[in-house]
Structures are given as C-alpha cells and as structure tokens.
C-alpha cells in the first residue's frame, strides 16, 4: 500500500472542502407514548467529496497520474486542508500577526504593551505570538476526546476548526487555552511532543469506489469539473 500526495497544483483547483463525520444511531422506533429512544455508539468516520474545478494542460495529466497510482481503492490519498477561520501560519509572518490581531506598531516595536500603552519596568512588554505549529503537551491514550496542546496557535484554535495528528483528522468542540475537546476520539495514542497540525492539516483517505477517480478530457473545450467521493483511511 502506497500513499499518494495530491499535487499542489490540483489542491489549488479544489472548489470546496465538504468533509463531515458520519455515524449511525439506533432506534427501536416510536413507542406507544409517542416517545423514541435513540442509542448512540461512537462509530463516526469522515466521509467527503473532493471537488476539482476545470483542469487545464499539465493539471489534466497530473490528475490522470493520481488515479493511475491510486490503483482504485488499493492505495491512499493524502489531502491538505485550508482550515480557514482559525489562526494559522502559512509562511507569511505579517498575515499571521494580522490574523492574531497584533497591531503593526506592536510588531514594529517587537513586543505588546499593556492595554494603556505602558511597558514593563525594563522597557519591554509581552512577547509577540509564536508562529510554531503546536505540539501535544502530555500523552493521550487512544479513544481519548481531550488533549492538551501548547503554543499560541493551539491555545487560540477556534471551535469548529480542524486539526490533524499523524494524518488523522479531528474537529475542535471546545478550547480552554489549549485544553481541547474534539471529535472523533483519537484514532491512535499520542505522545507528548507530537506535532499537531492546525495551519495545514493533512488527512489520509481512500476512494469510496474503485472507479471513483476518472478525470474526463473534452478536446477543444473547457474540461469538466471533477468530483470524487472519499472515505477516511484507518490502515496505514
């Protein structure tokens, strides 16, 4: 089994990120009193649709090659998520500070003063936010739904943001300064110091059907958009 990375040129052609947790609840139906008991067990997995806009030139060949190398459902596809809506560092420090609501004058002076503009006695102030990708602070066992994450990006992760650990995808349900509750539960145990990707989460998926990746080329016309159904990959 091989892992195929979606080329950046194709990732840039993605038109959306429709990935959701899907599970199944059980019910015996509505009782004589009109009430219904719903039973839930943690069986949710990620399912999604990878939509690529019109492809041109080399992108068509790249898409064709990805499908060939996937060997149907035999190999895995690694996707990178955009994760808009939470603080990220994507190589542009000025943009990172802007997303972190750090004023340009504070960046210029190299520190953040008190709200009234005052500094510490030695003339310094609060440090600027660090842009390093966060890491797990303590060990967390498999099936845990809480984890402690260090670093500015982790402490300020927005509810609903998604992150990845070892190419497994998770979604923030609550965040108390880095004490994060999330779904689904950890797919595998995590050790302290493990990288937690918020800026560009990565995720392994498998085609939902063997014939799921078939780019279509129309000569002399704009090529059709391409839509591929994928499902979370557990084995790796």
């Amino acid at each position: 089994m091989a892992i195929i990375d979606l080329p950046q040129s194709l990732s840039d052609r993605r038109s959306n990120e429709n990935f959701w947790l899907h599970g199944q609840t059980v019910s015996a139906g509505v009782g004589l009193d009109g009430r219904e008991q719903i039973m839930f067990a943690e069986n949710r997995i990620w399912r999604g649709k990878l939509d690529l806009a019109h492809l041109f030139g080399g992108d068509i060949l790249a898409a064709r090659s990805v499908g060939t190398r996937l060997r149907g459902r035999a190999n895995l596809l690694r996707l990178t998520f955009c994760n808009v809506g939470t603080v990220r560092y994507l190589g542009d420090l000025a943009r990172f500070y802007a997303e972190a609501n750090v004023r340009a004058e504070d960046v210029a002076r190299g520190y953040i003063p008190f709200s009234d503009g005052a500094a510490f006695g030695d003339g310094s102030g609060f440090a600027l936010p660090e842009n390093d990708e966060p890491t797990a602070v303590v060990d967390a066992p498999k099936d845990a739904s809480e984890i402690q994450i260090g670093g500015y990006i982790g402490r300020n992760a927005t509810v609903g943001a998604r992150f990845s650990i070892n190419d497994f995808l998770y979604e923030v349900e609550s965040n108390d300064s880095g004490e994060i509750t999330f779904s689904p539960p950890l797919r595998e145990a995590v050790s302290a110091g493990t990288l937690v990707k918020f800026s560009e989460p990565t995720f392994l998926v498998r085609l939902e059907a063997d014939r799921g990746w078939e780019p279509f080329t129309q000569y002399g016309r704009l090529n059709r958009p391409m839509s591929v159904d994928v499902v979370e990959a557990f084995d790796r």
Side-chain angles (χ1 to χ4, degrees):
M1 181 176 62
I3 295 175
I4 312 301
D5 287 286
L6 186 70
Q8 186 61 50
S9 62
L10 294 184
S11 187
D12 292 341
R13 301 300 297 166
R14 295 175 62 180
S15 56
N16 55 58
E17 286 185 356
N18 290 326
F19 282 80
W20 310 101
L21 280 170
H22 289 263
Q24 183 175 358
T25 57
V26 177
S27 171
V30 179
L32 294 177
D33 59 358
R35 299 184 180 184
E36 183 179 10
Q37 183 178 12
I38 306 295
M39 291 170 283
F40 171 79
E42 184 54 74
N43 58 13
R44 293 173 296 169
I45 63 172
W46 292 99
R47 293 182 182 275
K49 188 178 293 291
L50 177 64
D51 291 327
L52 300 178
H54 295 288
L55 303 179
F56 304 93
D59 290 342
I60 297 174
L61 302 184
R64 183 184 302 163
S65 176
V66 168
T68 300
R69 288 180 289 150
L70 283 176
R71 309 286 196 265
R73 305 187 73 236
N75 292 327
L76 307 182
L77 180 67
R78 181 186 282 121
L79 304 177
T80 300
F81 285 86
C82 188
N83 216 18
V84 174
T86 193
V87 179
R88 305 164 298 161
Y89 176 63
L90 300 176
D92 186 335
L93 196 55
R95 183 173 180 178
F96 168 75
Y97 286 139
E99 288 187 356
N101 295 317
V102 179
R103 299 179 302 175
E105 53 265 37
D106 294 336
V107 175
R109 71 167 59 96
Y111 66 85
I112 301 174
F114 288 97
S115 58
D116 61 359
F120 294 126
D122 61 0
S124 64
F126 299 99
L128 297 175
E130 68 271 21
N131 57 24
D132 296 330
E133 202 73 337
T135 58
V137 175
V138 297
D139 296 345
K142 180 182 177 182
D143 295 327
S145 293
E146 296 181 0
I147 192 170
Q148 184 177 353
I149 298 176
Y152 181 87
I153 292 176
R155 293 193 302 271
N156 292 275
T158 305
V159 171
R162 291 168 178 175
F163 63 94
S164 67
I165 302 177
N166 295 332
D167 289 331
F168 283 112
L169 188 66
Y170 306 97
E171 182 176 304
V172 177
E173 291 190 356
S174 67
N175 184 5
D176 183 9
S177 297
E179 294 283 349
I180 292 179
T181 302
F182 58 90
S183 283
L186 283 178
R187 302 308 197 190
E188 62 182 16
V190 172
S191 301
T194 299
L195 186 67
V196 182
K197 294 183 178 180
F198 275 96
S199 298
E200 292 183 297
T202 54
F203 181 41
L204 291 181
V205 297
R206 175 176 274 115
L207 297 181
E208 192 151 313
D210 279 324
R211 295 187 59 185
W213 190 285
E214 294 181 338
F216 187 87
T217 303
Q218 291 177 288
Y219 293 119
R221 301 182 181 182
L222 293 175
N223 288 284
R224 296 178 183 176
M226 177 179 171
S227 185
V228 181
D229 293 314
V230 295
V231 62
E232 178 178 4
F234 289 87
D235 49 338
R236 49 194 63 198

